[in-house]
Amino acid sequence: IMPHGLFLFVFMERHTSRITFNRQPELDAHPSPLNSRGCLNQHCWDKLGDMAYVLDQYGPYRIGVTGSAVDPIGMPITDLWRDATINLNASATKWYTVAADPSLGVVRFFVKYLSDTGTRPTRAFVFHVESKSWWEEEYPFEIGGACLSLLAGTMRLLVGAENEAIYQTYS
């Protein structure tokens, strides 16, 4: 479940619903099907500005606060999902993470290739929101998760790695 704008979005594996209510959610909540895109796990969405960035079995996409339209931002890297380069096995996708970095204006989608060793992602596809450009980052360690933290007065994206190490991401 993701709060976004005036709604709650409920992600399933292959579809999304939007929950609305009039006065009391426990009495008049109304779920309605929204789109045929889903979410790989509870860590595969994040928000930056008024957009939510999500990762599902077809790749990355974003939705606005109304959720009325899906923007398939991942078109430049879609072939990696279509050609089965990305590992979509449940044992791999449970470690996938989407993390927005507001200080850099980027969103990182942490994934694994089928050819990658280990159990967790060692790479991220990075989307620069303003220019709508993509690049790939590779890490010499496995990534178990990511979060924002206040460092020296600035919000920074940190990643949790193997051996209990924590690193700050770079641009």
Side-chain angles (χ1 to χ4, degrees):
I1 294 178
M2 176 187 71
H4 191 43
L6 299 174
F7 307 103
L8 286 178
F9 291 82
V10 179
F11 292 114
M12 301 301 284
E13 188 175 340
R14 300 189 194 289
H15 68 277
T16 304
S17 295
R18 180 175 61 189
I19 297 176
T20 59
F21 66 93
N22 190 20
R23 290 183 179 203
Q24 295 178 317
E26 60 275 355
L27 298 177
D28 60 4
H30 178 71
S32 56
L34 188 60
N35 61 54
S36 60
R37 299 293 300 262
C39 190
L40 289 173
N41 69 48
Q42 71 273 19
H43 304 289
C44 282
W45 65 266
D46 203 359
K47 296 186 286 186
L48 185 61
D50 61 351
M51 300 298 282
Y53 295 84
V54 187
L55 182 63
D56 71 358
Q57 75 274 9
Y58 302 115
Y61 67 98
R62 67 181 175 183
I63 54 178
V65 292
T66 64
S68 58
V70 170
D71 182 7
I73 58 171
M75 295 305 287
I77 58 173
T78 298
D79 288 349
L80 297 170
W81 273 262
R82 187 176 33 243
D83 299 342
T85 302
I86 302 297
N87 187 340
L88 292 175
N89 296 324
S91 60
T93 61
K94 74 179 183 179
W95 295 106
Y96 288 9
T97 302
V98 174
D101 188 338
S103 65
L104 299 174
V106 300
V107 181
R108 286 181 170 84
F109 298 83
F110 295 94
V111 298
K112 280 183 62 169
Y113 283 173
L114 273 172
S115 60
D116 290 345
T117 59
T119 58
R120 298 176 186 172
T122 56
R123 64 185 73 236
F125 290 102
V126 186
F127 179 68
H128 187 261
V129 174
E130 188 176 323
S131 67
K132 297 183 178 163
S133 60
W134 287 93
W135 65 87
E136 183 178 350
E137 294 176 348
E138 283 192 69
Y139 303 95
F141 43 79
E142 294 184 7
I143 304 293
C147 70
L148 286 175
S149 182
L150 187 62
L151 297 175
T154 304
M155 293 302 288
R156 298 291 183 185
L157 184 63
L158 304 178
V159 294
E162 50 196 337
N163 300 320
E164 300 180 12
I166 297 175
Y167 298 98
Q168 179 181 329
T169 58
Y170 52 92
S171 58

